[in-house]
Amino acid sequence: MPAISSREWDRRDVLRAAGGIAALGALTACGSNTGRGGGGSGRSLKQMYHAYGEPGTQQAAQKFAKAYQDADVSVQWIPGEYEKKLFTALLSSDGPDVFEFHPQIHMAHERQIVPLDDILEGVKDDFHEADIASHTIDGKVYGVRMIDDPQFLYYRKSLLEKAGIEPPDTLDGLIEAAEKLTTDKVKGLYLGQTLQPIQNPLIWSTGAELLTPDNEIAYHTDEVVEALRKLRRLYAGKALLKGAPTEHWDPASFNQGLCAMQWCGMWAMPQILEAHGDDVGIMPWPSSGDPNGRPAVYNGGWSAFVSAKAKDVDAAKAFVKWLWIDQKEFQREWCLDYGFHIPPRRSVAAGAEELTSGLAAEGVELFNTAGIFDNPSWTQSMITTLTDVMANAVRDDADPERELDKADKKIRRDLDKIFG
């Protein structure tokens, strides 16, 4: 994958699709009909996935679809720009019946998705409580969590030991470590091509939140401004890997020795362990060092949703129930056989022996102790607005206070639209 261009830092094309401005059209070029069910019932369903990076995932999705006997299920496997293609498809009359995404309140308010409380009846307590809470909007649950994906910093133990440093527990310490670890051949740190992956952890590490419990702006604090200034100094120096061959979700840069530390997800752990064995450690995004600072782990993941425009909403809900509630063996396979993900179901997680020792167990511990989940009130538009702040303040050296002021105006408009 080529290095991201400056044009790609501005993701307003995603917002246009999300807001209904993008041109409508079927996703015939995006990998439809890659898996068929064998039910022969006359019902047909379209299921949309983003293109997972772990080998074998597409084939597994096709296998799951084929195993379903109550409808013919086609799998749409979407490489690149998943959000844009999804939002465009949801505006179409020929969009997916079932799709994966993250919980966002505007999708419920705009009636793009339907509540799933009925298919979750009797099993809510088997899900991690945060996976239910983060999908609950106006008292109704709108998605079924498929996988939980903590993200953290991977580091090479031997390289830190050689440099005479311990895993850093503050942002200043991380910057200093990245500088000491940088050589002619190895950069100290890789955070992704756009820095978007660490924008939430950077805010959380100061003790701030994205929004208050009353859905007011909470990210604009003096501590966040200072953290952005520190990140700018890191970006302007020589310790940060730029122009990497792949994005942060791919461990290739870390595995090939291009960087000593990389922000990545638990999904990549098997590949990283295969490349480096026990010479790998993990740590959360470090505290800002402020009095209220804290280590932060983004607990991401993917969830199944049913489109309100599905040709047969009940049939789509029945498929989601079959796959992501009834079929525990498929759920275990999806979480553990291709990469490492934490099963959202307690009953499935209880049998996940792969996650009970070594680095995987450390990842689960960070998930439980430092993990922060999605806030459904923080929408795609807000994500992109904050990405613009990162691009302008960190990459382009704009004043972070002024950039946050501009972001405040946009996000207040978004909040007013949602909450009145």
Side-chain angles (χ1 to χ4, degrees):
M1 182 182 295
I4 196 164
S5 69
S6 60
R7 169 69 178 81
E8 288 176 279
W9 277 82
D10 183 352
R11 295 176 61 214
R12 291 182 181 84
D13 52 349
V14 172
L15 297 182
R16 284 195 288 269
I21 301 175
L24 301 179
L27 293 175
T28 55
C30 298
S32 62
N33 295 323
T34 56
R36 297 294 296 178
S41 66
R43 293 178 176 176
S44 62
L45 296 171
K46 294 180 181 179
Q47 182 185 22
M48 181 181 287
Y49 291 86
H50 83 287
Y52 286 72
E54 302 94 314
T57 49
Q58 183 175 3
Q59 292 75 18
Q62 294 167 0
K63 181 181 76 173
F64 301 162
K66 187 176 181 180
Y68 189 57
Q69 295 299 305
D70 292 336
D72 291 326
V73 182
S74 62
V75 173
Q76 295 178 319
W77 195 257
I78 310 299
E81 295 188 317
Y82 179 74
E83 295 94 340
K84 177 182 178 180
K85 294 171 182 176
L86 171 64
F87 286 135
T88 300
L90 291 177
L91 295 173
S92 169
S93 60
D94 194 34
D97 302 285
V98 176
F99 62 90
E100 62 173 10
F101 200 56
H102 318 292
Q104 295 193 4
I105 194 170
H106 68 94
M107 301 182 78
H109 285 187
E110 294 169 11
R111 295 188 175 89
Q112 292 181 307
I113 52 179
V114 301
L116 301 179
D117 299 83
D118 51 347
I119 67 172
L120 285 162
E121 186 175 355
V123 298
K124 285 183 183 179
D125 290 345
D126 193 37
F127 282 84
H128 192 293
E129 58 272 12
D131 283 327
I132 295 296
S134 62
H135 291 69
T136 300
I137 299 169
D138 301 330
K140 298 178 181 179
V141 183
Y142 278 86
V144 177
R145 194 67 144 182
M146 301 154 50
I147 51 176
D148 280 323
D149 278 335
Q151 299 176 26
F152 22 67
L153 284 162
Y154 287 89
Y155 62 90
R156 293 282 302 280
K157 293 179 180 179
S158 60
L159 296 182
L160 268 67
E161 183 178 354
K162 183 178 180 181
I165 55 180
E166 295 292 328
D169 58 5
T170 65
L171 180 56
D172 286 330
L174 177 65
I175 295 171
E176 181 180 358
E179 291 170 346
K180 287 184 177 180
L181 290 165
T182 298
T183 68
D184 292 340
K185 297 180 179 180
V186 179
K187 292 294 185 181
L189 179 62
Y190 181 46
L191 298 176
Q193 295 170 334
T194 67
L195 302 181
Q196 182 185 0
I198 54 92
Q199 63 192 32
N200 287 6
L202 184 75
I203 290 170
W204 294 329
S205 72
T206 69
E209 299 287 351
L210 299 172
L211 299 172
T212 69
D214 295 329
N215 293 306
E216 299 292 338
I217 288 171
Y219 58 81
H220 192 161
T221 67
D222 292 342
E223 291 78 11
V224 170
V225 170
E226 181 58 24
L228 286 167
R229 291 194 173 116
K230 290 180 180 180
L231 202 62
R232 166 59 193 173
R233 292 199 294 272
L234 172 65
Y235 189 88
K238 297 181 180 180
L240 200 64
L241 177 63
K242 304 168 188 174
T246 58
E247 247 299 348
H248 83 287
W249 52 262
D250 189 329
S253 294
F254 187 74
N255 289 351
Q256 294 171 14
L258 301 181
C259 57
M261 300 183 288
Q262 178 176 330
W263 183 262
C264 195
M266 194 164 178
W267 59 81
M269 193 174 286
Q271 295 180 52
I272 290 173
L273 290 173
E274 183 178 356
H276 298 301
D278 60 3
D279 187 29
V280 181
I282 55 174
M283 58 185 171
W285 184 263
S287 165
S288 64
D290 296 296
N292 294 321
R294 56 181 171 170
V297 168
Y298 173 50
N299 281 352
W302 291 88
S303 308
F305 297 88
V306 171
S307 171
K309 287 188 175 181
K311 297 293 191 301
D312 187 331
V313 169
D314 289 337
K317 289 166 66 175
F319 173 66
V320 170
K321 180 180 184 299
W322 175 83
L323 180 53
W324 299 116
I325 295 176
D326 298 338
Q327 302 301 312
K328 289 186 178 181
E329 185 54 37
F330 284 165
Q331 294 159 35
R332 191 217 63 81
E333 178 181 342
W334 192 245
C335 287
L336 300 170
D337 283 8
Y338 309 103
F340 279 175
H341 312 270
I342 298 176
R345 303 280 300 278
R346 289 187 171 93
S347 57
V348 178
E353 295 183 5
E354 297 91 334
L355 306 183
T356 59
S357 62
L359 200 66
E362 293 181 36
V364 173
E365 180 67 13
L366 286 178
F367 171 86
N368 289 323
T369 58
I372 302 174
F373 287 76
D374 287 308
N375 180 344
S377 296
W378 190 253
T379 66
Q380 197 67 37
S381 174
M382 299 174 197
I383 293 170
T384 303
T385 296
L386 200 59
T387 302
D388 289 343
V389 172
M390 296 289 288
N392 296 336
V394 177
R395 187 197 64 179
D396 295 337
D397 201 21
D399 177 55
E401 187 77 66
R402 186 168 60 247
E403 292 303 313
L404 287 170
D405 285 340
K406 292 192 295 186
D408 291 349
K409 294 178 181 178
K410 296 178 181 178
I411 290 177
R412 283 197 183 101
R413 286 197 296 268
D414 291 336
L415 292 169
D416 286 344
K417 290 178 183 177
I418 295 169
F419 299 106

